[in-house]
Amino acid sequence: MEFSKLSSLYFIVSFLGLASYWGDNMILSIVFRTLGLGVLLYHYWKHVKEENHLLFYLSIAFVAIGEALVIYGYQNEAVQVYLIISFITYYWLTFFLLRDTVRESTIKFSRINWTAFILFLLLIGYLAFNFISMMISEMMNTLPFVLGSLISFVSLCVYCLIIYFNKKSFRNFWLVLFVTTIILAQSTIPLEALYFNSVHLKTLGFVAEILGHYFVFQYLVTPENEIVLEQNNNYL
Protein backbone atom coordinates (compact mmCIF):
# COMPACT_ATOMS: atom_id res chain seq x y z
CA MET A 1 0.00 0.00 0.00
CA GLU A 2 1.35 3.38 -1.02
CA PHE A 3 0.70 6.10 1.58
CA SER A 4 0.80 9.22 -0.57
CA LYS A 5 0.94 12.92 0.27
CA LEU A 6 -2.77 13.22 -0.47
CA SER A 7 -3.53 10.42 2.00
CA SER A 8 -1.49 12.28 4.62
CA LEU A 9 -3.33 15.51 3.79
CA TYR A 10 -6.68 13.75 4.18
CA PHE A 11 -5.83 12.62 7.71
CA ILE A 12 -4.27 15.96 8.68
CA VAL A 13 -7.30 17.98 7.57
CA SER A 14 -9.74 15.46 9.07
CA PHE A 15 -8.00 15.52 12.43
CA LEU A 16 -7.94 19.32 12.34
CA GLY A 17 -11.72 18.98 12.22
CA LEU A 18 -11.55 16.76 15.28
CA ALA A 19 -9.28 19.26 17.06
CA SER A 20 -11.77 22.02 16.24
CA TYR A 21 -14.50 19.93 17.83
CA TRP A 22 -12.37 19.56 20.96
CA GLY A 23 -12.03 23.36 20.94
CA ASP A 24 -15.84 23.68 20.80
CA ASN A 25 -15.73 25.36 17.39
CA MET A 26 -18.42 23.37 15.60
CA ILE A 27 -18.48 25.44 12.41
CA LEU A 28 -14.74 25.10 11.89
CA SER A 29 -14.97 21.40 12.68
CA ILE A 30 -17.62 20.92 9.98
CA VAL A 31 -15.52 22.90 7.50
CA PHE A 32 -12.39 20.81 8.13
CA ARG A 33 -14.29 17.51 8.04
CA THR A 34 -15.86 18.50 4.71
CA LEU A 35 -12.51 19.64 3.30
CA GLY A 36 -10.97 16.34 4.37
CA LEU A 37 -13.60 14.39 2.47
CA GLY A 38 -13.00 16.68 -0.51
CA VAL A 39 -9.31 15.78 -0.41
CA LEU A 40 -10.21 12.09 -0.37
CA LEU A 41 -12.46 12.51 -3.40
CA TYR A 42 -9.72 14.39 -5.26
CA HIS A 43 -7.26 11.64 -4.33
CA TYR A 44 -9.69 9.06 -5.73
CA TRP A 45 -10.24 11.03 -8.94
CA LYS A 46 -6.51 11.53 -9.46
CA HIS A 47 -5.75 7.88 -8.74
CA VAL A 48 -8.28 6.13 -10.98
CA LYS A 49 -9.45 8.73 -13.55
CA GLU A 50 -10.80 6.39 -16.26
CA GLU A 51 -12.57 4.10 -13.76
CA ASN A 52 -14.31 6.71 -11.63
CA HIS A 53 -17.49 5.52 -9.94
CA LEU A 54 -20.11 8.20 -9.38
CA LEU A 55 -21.52 6.25 -6.43
CA PHE A 56 -18.36 6.91 -4.40
CA TYR A 57 -18.73 10.67 -4.90
CA LEU A 58 -22.42 10.53 -4.00
CA SER A 59 -21.82 8.37 -0.90
CA ILE A 60 -19.19 10.78 0.41
CA ALA A 61 -21.48 13.75 -0.27
CA PHE A 62 -24.28 12.22 1.81
CA VAL A 63 -22.00 11.09 4.63
CA ALA A 64 -20.55 14.62 4.76
CA ILE A 65 -24.08 15.90 5.43
CA GLY A 66 -24.61 13.22 8.08
CA GLU A 67 -21.32 13.94 9.84
CA ALA A 68 -22.03 17.68 9.81
CA LEU A 69 -25.38 17.01 11.51
CA VAL A 70 -23.67 14.76 14.09
CA ILE A 71 -21.33 17.64 14.94
CA TYR A 72 -24.25 20.09 14.93
CA GLY A 73 -26.06 17.91 17.45
CA TYR A 74 -29.39 16.18 18.03
CA GLN A 75 -31.21 19.39 18.99
CA ASN A 76 -34.60 18.48 17.55
CA GLU A 77 -36.51 15.72 15.82
CA ALA A 78 -36.08 17.22 12.34
CA VAL A 79 -32.29 17.11 12.67
CA GLN A 80 -32.49 13.50 13.84
CA VAL A 81 -34.54 12.51 10.78
CA TYR A 82 -32.25 14.30 8.32
CA LEU A 83 -29.20 12.75 9.98
CA ILE A 84 -30.60 9.22 9.82
CA ILE A 85 -31.71 9.65 6.19
CA SER A 86 -28.22 10.87 5.27
CA PHE A 87 -26.61 7.75 6.73
CA ILE A 88 -29.23 5.40 5.25
CA THR A 89 -28.46 6.87 1.83
CA TYR A 90 -24.73 6.57 2.48
CA TYR A 91 -25.03 2.89 3.46
CA TRP A 92 -27.02 1.94 0.35
CA LEU A 93 -24.86 3.98 -2.02
CA THR A 94 -21.81 2.21 -0.57
CA PHE A 95 -23.59 -1.15 -0.87
CA PHE A 96 -24.24 -0.63 -4.60
CA LEU A 97 -20.75 0.80 -5.08
CA LEU A 98 -19.26 -2.42 -3.73
CA ARG A 99 -21.61 -4.50 -5.85
CA ASP A 100 -20.46 -2.64 -8.96
CA THR A 101 -16.75 -2.82 -8.14
CA VAL A 102 -16.30 -6.31 -6.68
CA ARG A 103 -13.81 -8.16 -8.89
CA GLU A 104 -15.48 -11.55 -8.50
CA SER A 105 -19.20 -10.93 -8.67
CA THR A 106 -20.29 -14.57 -8.36
CA ILE A 107 -20.51 -15.57 -4.71
CA LYS A 108 -19.22 -19.11 -4.14
CA PHE A 109 -20.58 -20.06 -0.75
CA SER A 110 -18.47 -23.21 -0.61
CA ARG A 111 -15.43 -20.96 -0.06
CA ILE A 112 -16.87 -19.15 2.93
CA ASN A 113 -15.51 -19.97 6.37
CA TRP A 114 -18.90 -20.35 8.02
CA THR A 115 -17.61 -20.45 11.60
CA ALA A 116 -15.94 -17.03 11.38
CA PHE A 117 -18.78 -15.64 9.28
CA ILE A 118 -21.44 -16.69 11.80
CA LEU A 119 -19.39 -15.24 14.68
CA PHE A 120 -19.27 -11.92 12.84
CA LEU A 121 -23.03 -12.09 12.25
CA LEU A 122 -23.70 -12.80 15.93
CA LEU A 123 -21.64 -9.76 16.90
CA ILE A 124 -23.49 -7.55 14.43
CA GLY A 125 -26.85 -8.98 15.56
CA TYR A 126 -26.03 -8.36 19.22
CA LEU A 127 -25.08 -4.75 18.50
CA ALA A 128 -28.22 -4.27 16.40
CA PHE A 129 -30.46 -5.63 19.18
CA ASN A 130 -28.90 -3.34 21.77
CA PHE A 131 -29.07 -0.38 19.41
CA ILE A 132 -32.81 -0.90 18.86
CA SER A 133 -33.42 -1.36 22.61
CA MET A 134 -31.63 1.91 23.27
CA MET A 135 -33.42 3.85 20.51
CA ILE A 136 -36.98 2.69 21.33
CA SER A 137 -37.22 4.78 24.50
CA GLU A 138 -35.24 7.78 23.26
CA MET A 139 -36.41 8.22 19.65
CA MET A 140 -39.89 6.70 19.53
CA ASN A 141 -41.23 9.22 17.00
CA THR A 142 -38.39 8.49 14.56
CA LEU A 143 -38.32 4.73 15.16
CA PRO A 144 -39.19 3.82 11.51
CA PHE A 145 -36.14 5.79 10.38
CA VAL A 146 -34.00 4.12 13.05
CA LEU A 147 -35.14 0.68 11.85
CA GLY A 148 -34.35 1.69 8.27
CA SER A 149 -30.89 2.80 9.32
CA LEU A 150 -30.31 -0.47 11.18
CA ILE A 151 -31.43 -2.61 8.22
CA SER A 152 -29.17 -0.60 5.89
CA PHE A 153 -26.22 -0.85 8.27
CA VAL A 154 -26.59 -4.62 8.76
CA SER A 155 -27.06 -5.23 5.02
CA LEU A 156 -23.85 -3.36 4.23
CA CYS A 157 -21.87 -5.19 6.94
CA VAL A 158 -23.10 -8.62 5.85
CA TYR A 159 -22.38 -7.91 2.18
CA CYS A 160 -18.84 -6.74 2.99
CA LEU A 161 -18.20 -9.92 4.96
CA ILE A 162 -19.61 -12.11 2.18
CA ILE A 163 -17.26 -10.45 -0.32
CA TYR A 164 -14.26 -11.02 1.94
CA PHE A 165 -15.01 -14.60 2.93
CA ASN A 166 -15.80 -15.47 -0.68
CA LYS A 167 -12.31 -14.40 -1.70
CA LYS A 168 -9.73 -13.62 0.97
CA SER A 169 -7.56 -11.04 -0.73
CA PHE A 170 -5.63 -7.99 0.36
CA ARG A 171 -8.13 -5.90 -1.57
CA ASN A 172 -11.17 -7.45 0.11
CA PHE A 173 -9.57 -7.29 3.56
CA TRP A 174 -10.08 -3.51 3.47
CA LEU A 175 -13.81 -4.28 3.75
CA VAL A 176 -13.27 -6.15 7.04
CA LEU A 177 -11.53 -3.05 8.39
CA PHE A 178 -14.37 -0.91 7.04
CA VAL A 179 -16.98 -3.06 8.82
CA THR A 180 -15.00 -2.73 12.05
CA THR A 181 -15.00 1.06 11.82
CA ILE A 182 -18.70 1.46 11.04
CA ILE A 183 -19.56 -0.87 13.92
CA LEU A 184 -17.47 1.37 16.20
CA ALA A 185 -19.13 4.50 14.85
CA GLN A 186 -22.65 3.03 15.21
CA SER A 187 -21.85 1.87 18.74
CA THR A 188 -20.30 5.06 20.11
CA ILE A 189 -21.86 8.15 18.52
CA PRO A 190 -25.53 7.41 19.48
CA LEU A 191 -24.40 6.47 22.99
CA GLU A 192 -22.59 9.78 23.35
CA ALA A 193 -25.47 11.77 21.90
CA LEU A 194 -28.26 10.20 23.98
CA TYR A 195 -26.65 8.96 27.20
CA PHE A 196 -23.04 9.95 27.86
CA ASN A 197 -21.77 13.47 27.26
CA SER A 198 -18.22 12.29 26.62
CA VAL A 199 -15.84 13.93 24.17
CA HIS A 200 -13.69 10.78 24.30
CA LEU A 201 -16.57 8.55 23.19
CA LYS A 202 -17.46 10.87 20.34
CA THR A 203 -13.80 11.11 19.37
CA LEU A 204 -13.67 7.32 19.00
CA GLY A 205 -16.68 7.46 16.70
CA PHE A 206 -15.19 10.29 14.63
CA VAL A 207 -11.86 8.50 14.24
CA ALA A 208 -13.71 5.35 13.16
CA GLU A 209 -15.55 7.34 10.48
CA ILE A 210 -12.34 8.97 9.22
CA LEU A 211 -10.66 5.57 8.92
CA GLY A 212 -13.75 3.93 7.40
CA HIS A 213 -13.86 6.31 4.43
CA TYR A 214 -10.17 5.70 3.83
CA PHE A 215 -10.61 1.93 3.94
CA VAL A 216 -13.32 2.11 1.24
CA PHE A 217 -10.99 4.29 -0.82
CA GLN A 218 -8.19 1.73 -0.45
CA TYR A 219 -10.55 -1.07 -1.46
CA LEU A 220 -11.43 0.81 -4.64
CA VAL A 221 -7.84 1.59 -5.65
CA THR A 222 -6.05 -1.62 -4.61
CA PRO A 223 -4.77 -3.25 -7.83
CA GLU A 224 -5.66 -6.73 -8.95
CA ASN A 225 -2.10 -8.00 -8.53
CA GLU A 226 -2.37 -7.62 -4.73
CA ILE A 227 -4.28 -10.89 -4.48
CA VAL A 228 -3.71 -13.67 -2.00
CA LEU A 229 -3.87 -17.10 -3.61
CA GLU A 230 -6.81 -19.22 -2.50
CA GLN A 231 -4.52 -22.00 -1.30
CA ASN A 232 -2.86 -19.70 1.21
CA ASN A 233 -4.69 -20.92 4.32
CA ASN A 234 -2.65 -18.83 6.75
CA TYR A 235 -4.12 -15.53 5.60
CA LEU A 236 -6.92 -14.06 7.74
Side-chain angles (χ1 to χ4, degrees):
M1 181 189 74
E2 180 184 358
F3 200 77
S4 66
K5 292 180 180 179
L6 283 174
S7 295
S8 301
L9 182 61
Y10 165 69
F11 284 107
I12 290 170
V13 175
S14 298
F15 280 103
L16 283 174
L18 186 55
S20 300
Y21 178 79
W22 290 338
D24 205 29
N25 191 332
M26 303 307 170
I27 300 300
L28 192 59
S29 178
I30 292 172
V31 169
F32 276 126
R33 292 292 293 274
T34 305
L35 285 175
L37 292 173
V39 170
L40 188 66
L41 289 180
Y42 174 70
H43 192 7
Y44 175 69
W45 173 83
K46 188 175 180 181
H47 198 286
V48 296
K49 291 188 178 178
E50 295 85 3
E51 298 181 4
N52 269 283
H53 289 275
L54 179 61
L55 289 175
F56 185 59
Y57 295 95
L58 291 175
S59 68
I60 293 299
F62 275 96
V63 85
I65 296 171
E67 290 184 2
L69 292 174
V70 169
I71 295 171
Y72 178 73
Y74 287 57
Q75 279 86 350
N76 55 64
E77 188 173 301
V79 173
Q80 294 173 5
V81 170
Y82 292 139
L83 186 155
I84 294 170
I85 290 175
S86 297
F87 278 101
I88 289 175
T89 308
Y90 165 70
Y91 291 143
W92 284 111
L93 286 172
T94 304
F95 180 96
F96 288 112
L97 171 68
L98 299 180
R99 194 189 68 172
D100 289 347
T101 56
V102 63
R103 300 254 169 88
E104 189 169 347
S105 57
T106 302
I107 303 298
K108 298 178 180 178
F109 289 97
S110 59
R111 294 181 180 178
I112 294 177
N113 183 331
W114 287 102
T115 301
F117 184 69
I118 290 172
L119 287 175
F120 269 105
L121 290 184
L122 288 174
L123 171 62
I124 294 170
Y126 172 76
L127 292 173
F129 174 79
N130 283 279
F131 181 76
I132 283 293
S133 300
M134 177 179 65
M135 294 292 105
I136 284 176
S137 58
E138 297 293 334
M139 302 176 68
M140 181 62 70
N141 293 334
T142 59
L143 189 59
F145 296 98
V146 173
L147 289 172
S149 175
L150 183 64
I151 292 170
S152 305
F153 161 74
V154 171
S155 299
L156 178 58
C157 289
V158 171
Y159 188 60
C160 288
L161 294 176
I162 288 175
I163 293 173
Y164 172 71
F165 283 111
N166 181 61
K167 188 170 187 179
K168 301 180 182 68
S169 67
F170 287 119
R171 182 177 192 259
N172 291 345
F173 186 64
W174 290 112
L175 297 181
V176 177
L177 298 178
F178 172 59
V179 168
T180 303
T181 57
I182 60 175
I183 287 175
L184 276 175
Q186 278 280 2
S187 302
T188 55
I189 291 179
L191 281 175
E192 191 279 336
L194 298 174
Y195 290 96
F196 306 104
N197 185 16
S198 169
V199 67
H200 304 294
L201 198 59
K202 203 162 192 175
T203 295
L204 180 60
F206 281 174
V207 170
E209 289 178 348
I210 291 168
L211 290 173
H213 305 323
Y214 188 73
F215 292 151
V216 174
F217 163 78
Q218 283 294 338
Y219 166 80
L220 293 174
V221 302
T222 298
E224 188 67 48
N225 59 359
E226 291 192 34
I227 294 295
V228 177
L229 297 178
E230 290 295 329
Q231 60 264 31
N232 186 347
N233 296 321
N234 294 323
Y235 189 67
L236 286 174

